Amino acid sequence: MDTITHTEAPVEEGEPYFTSLDLFLFSLIVGIIIYYFMPRKEPEPLPEFKKLDTPPPATRETSFIEKMKKTGKNIIVFYGSQTGTAEEFANRLSKDAQRYGMKGMAADPEEYDMGELSRLSEIENSLAIFCMATYGEGDPTDNAQDFYDWLQENDDEDLSKLNYTVFALGNKTYEHYNAMGKYVDKRLAELGATRIFDLGLGDDDGNLEEDFVSWREQFWPAVCEHFGVEASGDESSIRQYELQEHTDINMNKVFTGEFSRLKSFEIQKPPFDSKNPFLAPVTVNRKLNKAGDRHLMHLELDITGSKIRYESGDHVAVFPTNDSALVNKLGQILGVDLDVVISLNNLDEESNKKHPFPCPTSYRTALTHYLDITHPPRTNVLYELAQYASDPKHQETLRKMASSSPEGKALYQNWVLDACRNILAILEDMPSLRPPIDHLCELLPRLQARYYSIASSSKVHPNSIHICAVVVEYTTKTGRLNKGVATNWLKNKLVTDNGHKSTVPMYIRKSQFRLPFKATSPVIMIGPGTGIAPFMGFIQERGWLKEQGKEVGETVLYFGCRHKNEDYIYQEELEEAEKNNVLTQLNVAFSRDQEHKIYVQHLLKNNKENIWKLVHSENAHIYICGDARNMAKDVQTALHEIAEELGGMTRTQATDYIKKLMTKGRYSQDVWS
């Protein structure tokens, strides 16, 4: 019998003593032991960060009601201003309030919620005054556009507890004289507001200052009667700002001509607008006229990389600087160091307007970049300066010119306006008048941008803006040579100046002066002298459309100048456009090349059949650019006469016919006075 014995199976060669699981468990146990027994560095406690008391981000106060309550104001003067005059009048009215035991504030409607007008009655004896300028063809100014839209859109607004009055600023040579002021006055009444004094109409073609002073003289007695208050009789000067001189200041914090952001001219950031202009290099600056005693010029500004866009017919706004010779003379006559760095700080700490111009800055910068030293000063400036005349006769003369008496008005008209005396001329002719320069800087109005019709098309020149202008120079009755601020400054903008590129601070203002939507619509362009500017853009654009293979309607130009051999500007370009059939008709009036003067309106009447056919049968668009006072009126009269003769209309019917063309957008004007 076999004996069976049990033995371990022999281990095969290559089989491991430990499995993967054994190794994993062994490693885990060893790791835990090391972690547990090894000395470890104590974790560093997290530092405690003390919470900083940071002020909340500044939010703009949009409630004028809360602001008035906080500051004890009961009169608010809103201004719609494009050139600064309406804002200036608003400041004068708000300062006046103090003389009647009231407190006023000037306000930009763009900065506030105008829907709060209905709440003004929460403030006792409250009044809203509106100083509203009209821009262009009856348009609101840029800063009043939102207010205008609000008035149009809110039919159910109840303003029955609002007391108001309006002073309008305009120019009678324009078709829509004081349209914005008239609209605000009418619309507020429609919404139930109480008009406490009649609408004032200021005419800049006549004497705007006189119109305002006359209205203001009657306005305040009406306010006193309405609210049962009396004038304090205090006619003393009321300072709005106090002087602070900086003796030890970091010059990197001093404004040197910028309008809003420090160093904005060194580090340019889009978008570019009136508060942040683009410094456009000048690439071309050439004289346009061949002869004559005038200087007509063509400039080209480079906008590469600025993201600025424009359309033919838009305006370019440029910010000029005053002639350094005038600035130096002012410093000499007042005996001051113009390089002292100062701030003028508003005495009303709650005011949105902390300074009259960017501060801190030097007197030289203020007089060069920020203040208007070339226009004849307004009567309120003369009144405030009178106290600084040591000669009683000078003092009396200044106060008389600032009064509303017929003799005073006549004296101001003759001695200041007709003689074109700026502040320097007044100081020279009144040796006893030596005001402190800080008060003078407070009183002088801001230097404003100048607008020029763009003489190029963005389709052809997307990175370039062209300007066409005539340099202004004239001798006054006192024998002084007065020079236009902007045109003389532009004339001296050489392409390279001492190795540096000349630059022009600029931005674009959109216009309604536009080519027809349909390229097939005929256009009739009428623009003598520098009035040809926007039409150069129109012609370039019509030429570009033809190159794209588009069908383009008739393009007719009526241009006028004095002499063919002197000031026929853009002659080569115009004749080339005619040769290429971009211009289907080129009609030029040389007013002084023959015994009888011939102007564009005469050429219109000579071609009356063609004009009438284009306008009446072919829906042509009419464009007029240039002098509003004479040329634009004479052209309109010629068109009335053509409508009467060839349309068989009465004068009234012809007038209505042209007005309908305006309403339909087929009769556009870009004019100045």
Side-chain angles (χ1 to χ4, degrees):
M1 186 174 202
D2 292 338
T3 304
I4 301 173
T5 56
H6 294 274
T7 61
E8 288 282 334
V11 177
E12 287 185 11
E13 203 174 290
E15 186 176 344
Y17 287 98
F18 300 103
T19 66
S20 299
L21 181 62
D22 294 332
L23 288 169
F24 171 73
L25 289 169
F26 179 74
S27 300
L28 183 64
I29 290 162
V30 171
I32 290 169
I33 291 166
I34 291 169
Y35 178 79
Y36 190 78
F37 287 105
M38 286 287 286
R40 292 191 304 276
K41 191 179 177 183
E42 287 291 317
E44 287 185 17
L46 288 170
E48 281 187 35
F49 289 103
K50 188 181 177 186
K51 192 174 179 183
L52 295 174
D53 294 326
T54 51
T59 52
R60 190 160 55 86
E61 174 71 85
T62 60
S63 170
F64 62 84
I65 297 293
E66 296 312 315
K67 186 157 211 171
M68 289 174 77
K69 286 178 177 177
K70 199 193 301 182
T71 56
K73 307 278 171 63
N74 63 335
I75 290 181
I76 185 161
V77 195
F78 292 105
Y79 56 85
S81 190
Q82 196 71 32
T83 63
T85 309
E87 181 181 0
E88 192 188 326
F89 286 179
N91 282 319
R92 286 163 69 175
L93 289 168
S94 68
K95 278 174 79 174
D96 281 347
Q98 202 166 320
R99 297 192 173 110
Y100 299 89
M102 299 179 167
K103 287 186 82 176
M105 65 178 267
D108 183 341
E110 198 172 34
E111 293 183 0
Y112 294 101
D113 175 8
M114 297 305 283
E116 287 198 328
L117 282 172
S118 58
R119 290 183 56 207
L120 198 58
S121 58
E122 293 174 17
I123 297 167
E124 193 180 353
N125 283 358
S126 61
L127 169 66
I129 306 171
F130 297 86
C131 287
M132 307 306 292
T134 298
Y135 184 81
E137 293 305 297
D139 301 322
T141 57
D142 290 351
N143 76 312
Q145 183 66 55
D146 291 345
F147 175 46
Y148 176 73
D149 294 341
W150 181 84
L151 284 172
Q152 285 194 309
E153 292 159 8
N154 289 277
D155 286 331
D156 54 352
E157 196 71 34
D158 178 15
L159 299 182
S160 56
K161 293 180 180 175
L162 173 72
N163 296 312
Y164 82 95
T165 192
V166 178
F167 183 80
L169 297 84
N171 189 308
K172 262 193 179 141
T173 59
Y174 289 80
E175 183 73 24
H176 304 281
Y177 172 56
N178 268 323
M180 183 59 183
K182 289 173 181 175
Y183 175 75
V184 171
D185 180 62
K186 173 173 155 283
R187 188 68 179 132
L188 291 173
E190 286 172 356
L191 296 173
T194 303
R195 182 191 295 111
I196 70 157
F197 191 64
D198 295 339
L199 166 69
L201 296 175
D203 178 18
D204 202 29
D205 186 49
N207 186 334
L208 184 59
E209 175 70 14
E210 185 178 316
D211 294 337
F212 175 69
V213 168
S214 299
W215 178 84
R216 178 171 157 251
E217 290 285 328
Q218 298 169 63
F219 163 68
W220 283 114
V223 171
C224 290
E225 189 178 337
H226 184 87
F227 293 115
V229 296
E230 287 184 14
S232 64
D234 181 16
E235 291 294 313
S236 63
S237 169
I238 301 166
R239 288 293 298 265
Q240 192 176 347
Y241 300 93
E242 64 179 350
L243 173 67
Q244 178 187 3
E245 288 192 2
H246 303 280
T247 50
D248 185 20
I249 189 169
N250 181 348
M251 293 309 283
N252 284 325
K253 294 185 177 177
V254 176
F255 283 89
T256 56
E258 311 95 322
F259 296 97
S260 184
R261 180 174 56 85
L262 258 175
K263 306 296 175 191
S264 62
F265 286 169
E266 290 174 28
I267 304 162
Q268 294 255 277
K269 292 179 186 172
F272 297 105
D273 54 26
S274 59
K275 293 183 174 66
N276 180 36
F278 176 65
L279 287 184
V282 177
T283 55
V284 173
N285 185 350
R286 62 184 171 93
K287 188 176 180 181
L288 284 170
N289 50 318
K290 304 179 188 86
D293 53 3
R294 295 186 303 161
H295 184 104
L296 290 101
M297 58 188 169
H298 171 91
L299 282 94
E300 297 182 13
L301 309 179
D302 184 4
I303 55 170
T304 304
S306 67
K307 297 185 179 174
I308 288 173
R309 300 285 176 268
Y310 74 96
E311 297 292 329
S312 301
D314 283 343
H315 296 138
V316 57
V318 304
F319 290 91
T321 59
N322 287 311
D323 185 345
S324 58
L326 290 181
V327 173
N328 288 333
K329 273 190 188 173
L330 269 173
Q332 287 165 10
I333 210 165
L334 294 175
V336 294
D337 177 0
L338 293 175
D339 296 310
V340 170
V341 177
I342 57 118
S343 288
L344 287 179
N345 303 319
N346 202 320
L347 291 162
D348 178 1
E349 291 179 3
E350 295 294 331
S351 173
N352 276 14
K353 193 174 183 180
K354 301 299 179 192
H355 316 283
F357 42 77
C359 290
T361 192
S362 68
Y363 285 123
R364 184 181 304 283
T365 300
L367 293 168
T368 303
H369 293 273
Y370 302 138
L371 297 171
D372 186 342
I373 62 173
T374 58
H375 268 102
R378 299 196 183 278
T379 56
N380 66 305
V381 176
L382 301 183
Y383 180 84
E384 299 253 4
L385 292 181
Q387 63 185 303
Y388 301 115
S390 56
D391 184 335
K393 284 183 181 173
H394 289 161
Q395 207 171 103
E396 186 189 341
T397 300
L398 289 164
R399 290 218 167 101
K400 188 175 184 181
M401 286 192 289
S403 75
S404 57
S405 70
E407 305 81 42
K409 287 178 182 176
L411 183 59
Y412 175 73
Q413 178 70 45
N414 179 52
W415 199 79
V416 177
L417 297 183
D418 294 347
C420 303
R421 275 187 173 89
N422 57 32
I423 188 63
L424 180 61
I426 288 171
L427 292 173
E428 285 174 340
D429 293 344
M430 285 192 169
S432 86
L433 178 62
R434 292 296 177 263
I437 192 167
D438 61 294
H439 198 179
L440 183 64
C441 287
E442 176 180 325
L443 292 169
L444 289 173
R446 285 291 296 267
L447 183 60
Q448 299 294 327
R450 280 16 182 210
Y451 298 92
Y452 296 95
S453 303
I454 296 176
S456 54
S457 163
S458 59
K459 301 285 193 298
V460 181
H461 300 284
N463 291 314
S464 183
I465 285 172
H466 299 183
I467 295 175
C468 166
V470 58
V471 176
V472 176
E473 276 192 10
Y474 59 94
T475 303
T476 70
K477 280 175 21 177
T478 63
R480 292 178 170 94
L481 179 66
N482 277 10
K483 296 181 176 184
V485 177
T487 54
N488 280 275
W489 170 77
L490 285 171
K491 178 187 174 185
N492 293 316
K493 285 283 172 185
L494 307 175
V495 176
T496 52
D497 193 3
N498 289 331
H500 299 286
K501 283 183 178 176
S502 287
T503 56
V504 169
M506 53 72 67
Y507 72 97
I508 298 297
R509 190 182 194 280
K510 293 294 175 188
S511 163
Q512 300 302 313
F513 202 70
R514 288 277 183 271
L515 277 168
F517 181 71
K518 288 183 181 175
T520 51
S521 298
V523 297
I524 301 168
M525 306 172 291
I526 306 155
T530 55
I532 197 174
F535 303 139
M536 294 308 295
F538 283 10
I539 292 162
Q540 288 172 15
E541 191 142 326
R542 302 280 270 199
W544 180 85
L545 288 167
K546 282 178 87 81
E547 284 176 9
Q548 305 303 304
K550 301 272 171 62
E551 188 186 341
V552 177
E554 281 203 56
T555 306
V556 179
L557 175 68
Y558 285 85
F559 171 66
C561 60
R562 295 178 181 182
H563 302 282
K564 184 174 183 177
N565 295 328
E566 282 188 9
D567 52 1
Y568 185 0
I569 58 177
Y570 298 116
Q571 181 178 357
E572 293 80 10
E573 293 95 321
L574 294 175
E575 289 175 352
E576 183 71 15
E578 185 183 33
K579 192 174 93 178
N580 296 334
N581 206 34
V582 173
L583 266 180
T584 45
Q585 276 186 52
L586 173 58
N587 307 284
V588 189
F590 304 108
S591 61
R592 302 183 187 184
D593 274 352
Q594 60 285 311
E595 192 179 337
H596 300 292
K597 287 184 180 172
I598 297 175
Y599 296 115
V600 284
Q601 62 267 26
H602 299 129
L603 298 189
L604 287 171
K605 287 168 83 174
N606 290 347
N607 297 339
K608 59 190 174 188
E609 285 83 6
N610 182 251
I611 292 285
W612 184 246
K613 175 176 74 73
L614 288 172
V615 173
H616 193 63
S617 306
E618 299 179 22
N619 293 322
H621 288 237
I622 301 169
Y623 299 91
I624 299 163
C625 182
D627 163 46
R629 189 179 284 112
N630 300 308
M631 181 276 299
K633 283 184 176 176
D634 292 340
V635 164
Q636 198 166 317
T637 301
L639 292 168
H640 286 155
E641 289 170 2
I642 291 170
E644 283 177 62
E645 186 181 341
L646 299 178
M649 301 178 186
T650 63
R651 174 49 65 100
T652 306
Q653 289 170 327
T655 304
D656 289 343
Y657 181 83
I658 297 297
K659 279 191 174 163
K660 275 180 190 164
L661 292 180
M662 291 176 180
T663 309
K664 289 175 183 173
R666 284 180 50 208
Y667 189 111
S668 304
Q669 297 189 96
D670 181 1
V671 292
W672 55 85
S673 62

